[in-house]
Amino acid sequence: MIQNYQDAMTICKWAGYPDLFITFTCNPKWPEIVRFVEERGLKSEDRLDIICRVFKMKLDALIQDLRKNKIFGSVKAYIYYRVSKRGATRSHSFFLYKEDKFPTADAIDHVISAEIPDEQVDPVYHAAITDFMIHGPCGDDRRNSPCMVDGRCSKYFPKRFTERTIVDEDGYPIYRRRDNGRTIKKNGVHLDNRYVVPHNRYLLIRYGAHLNIEWCNQSRAIKYLFKYLNKGNDRVTASFYHSSSEDNMEKSVDEVNLYYDCRYISSCEDAWRILGFEIQYRDLAVERLSFHLPNQHNVIFSDAEID
Ligand SMILES: [Zn+2]
């Protein structure tokens, strides 16, 4: 992980701050997956290998779109990481370094949107937003939402209404979210523009998955980079205990508590690794130069030379 971090820093040194932060999440309901599993009377979670393969194909296509088809302009470099949260979400996060920077609000509006479209004018877009890009409900409407930490939404939703996109004094973008009365109903709650996750219309419709695009705040981006690279493996604390059901008999229950801090690899993580797909990837290549102390250089023998 330290080595990967050093590689990322080397790219930053050469390419400058990253410009876009993209999170692409796998959708187990993609028609390619559903078609395959339904024919066999299975559910998508029964065939994690198929999910992983399809996701990898879409991921490669997305990289193609960004890199070769230049949908956001010329790309200098990118780094991506596999992100998994308790194995439930399979997603990849990209840091994209562009050739031409776009620090103006107009330029941001051109690639990133955070509003609900008109259902009559653009029904396909509207359906994609409904399926993938509405956060919540959380807060008072749903206190047990997974995003809730200490009684607050950890992703800071709802955002506030803004007439136009601005970049605040800290360089942090506030996307346009007009108070136009448009809402989308989710779990019985009407959610407005304040709950839309920033995205790009073209990519959202093309990939049919949760695809979050954020313009990077220059200094905070580095902090994120650091955070992602140092996140480490998923861990789980497992506890085994035996307790007496007749707890009124005695206060001291015969109880054994063993806590283990275990490394945890979920089944989808597992499939991804077995198929040999990259957990982290970067383009620009970074060459790691090895050096050694005097008289302690490495010597490599091939199998044929050892007898
Ligand atoms: Zn929330």
Side-chain angles (χ1 to χ4, degrees):
M1 271 187 289
I2 288 169
Q3 297 233 313
N4 286 327
Y5 173 68
Q6 301 283 9
D7 290 351
M9 284 298 126
T10 307
I11 290 179
C12 279
K13 219 174 350 178
W14 181 80
Y17 289 117
D19 298 281
L20 286 172
F21 180 61
I22 303 171
T23 306
F24 181 32
T25 305
C26 175
N27 173 14
K29 294 197 178 78
W30 271 321
E32 296 89 339
I33 298 174
V34 172
R35 202 162 55 220
F36 181 90
V37 293
E38 272 183 357
E39 276 174 14
R40 291 158 179 81
L42 299 168
K43 289 192 183 115
S44 53
E45 59 265 30
D46 297 328
R47 292 300 300 268
L48 294 164
D49 55 331
I50 299 298
I51 295 184
C52 283
R53 280 188 196 280
V54 173
F55 186 35
K56 179 68 163 71
M57 281 187 248
K58 304 232 178 209
L59 189 66
D60 289 343
L62 177 63
I63 291 169
Q64 191 87 331
D65 272 346
L66 298 170
R67 193 79 157 129
K68 287 230 172 70
N69 304 339
K70 297 182 182 170
I71 54 162
F72 294 142
S74 289
V75 172
K76 257 179 146 175
Y78 67 84
I79 308 171
Y80 81 63
Y81 307 96
R82 186 167 170 76
V83 187
S84 64
K85 283 175 201 145
R86 279 164 263 120
T89 328
R90 300 161 283 268
S91 62
H92 275 82
S93 287
F94 288 83
F95 291 93
L96 203 72
Y97 299 80
K98 275 166 52 65
E99 203 79 71
D100 45 331
K101 311 270 167 188
F102 40 55
T104 65
D106 271 355
I108 293 172
D109 278 345
H110 203 66
V111 289
I112 301 170
S113 164
E115 290 185 309
I116 299 170
D118 190 322
E119 196 175 357
Q120 309 303 325
V121 176
D122 200 343
V124 178
Y125 184 22
H126 188 272
I129 294 283
T130 309
D131 287 345
F132 307 113
M133 304 312 289
I134 293 283
H135 179 85
C138 62
D140 287 336
D141 293 317
R142 194 160 149 252
R143 295 232 144 255
N144 58 354
S145 171
C147 63
M148 296 294 284
V149 178
D150 299 329
R152 291 191 58 189
C153 173
S154 58
K155 305 261 197 274
Y156 306 106
F157 280 93
K159 310 284 183 187
R160 56 191 159 95
F161 284 124
T162 325
E163 268 308 302
R164 57 193 174 81
T165 300
I166 44 170
V167 179
D168 73 8
E169 59 271 21
D170 298 325
Y172 193 74
I174 298 162
Y175 305 109
R176 182 176 66 194
R177 296 168 190 276
R178 285 167 292 191
D179 187 4
N180 54 12
R182 278 184 204 150
T183 57
I184 283 176
K185 200 173 170 186
K186 225 176 128 186
N187 298 350
V189 183
H190 287 280
L191 299 167
D192 53 33
N193 281 341
R194 291 173 300 168
Y195 290 90
V196 180
V197 179
H199 60 274
N200 174 276
R201 181 188 178 276
Y202 173 77
L203 289 182
L204 175 64
I205 292 171
R206 183 164 155 79
Y207 290 97
H210 180 89
L211 222 164
N212 173 213
I213 304 200
E214 304 266 358
W215 184 76
C216 284
N217 167 280
Q218 308 290 279
S219 57
R220 276 189 220 184
I222 298 294
K223 215 173 86 186
Y224 264 120
L225 199 68
F226 192 82
K227 199 181 97 183
Y228 272 91
L229 283 158
N230 285 289
K231 230 183 111 202
N233 296 305
D234 280 1
R235 279 168 194 280
V236 65
T237 302
S239 71
F240 302 91
Y241 62 92
H242 169 79
S243 67
S244 163
S245 53
E246 303 135 30
D247 49 4
N248 52 342
M249 276 173 65
E250 215 182 321
K251 275 274 168 250
S252 60
V253 188
D254 177 18
E255 187 178 68
V256 179
N257 267 328
L258 288 170
Y259 287 97
Y260 291 100
D261 190 16
C262 300
R263 178 160 174 208
Y264 163 74
I265 299 180
S266 65
S267 43
C268 50
E269 188 70 28
D270 196 20
W272 190 266
R273 283 171 190 265
I274 288 171
L275 293 167
F277 300 147
E278 295 92 357
I279 303 292
Q280 336 213 355
Y281 189 76
R282 62 196 168 267
D283 183 6
L284 271 170
V286 176
E287 179 89 25
R288 291 174 187 168
L289 300 174
S290 63
F291 51 89
H292 58 84
L293 294 171
N295 300 322
Q296 292 189 13
H297 56 290
N298 291 321
V299 181
I300 298 167
F301 296 95
S302 73
D303 282 352
E305 286 172 300
I306 306 162
D307 231 331

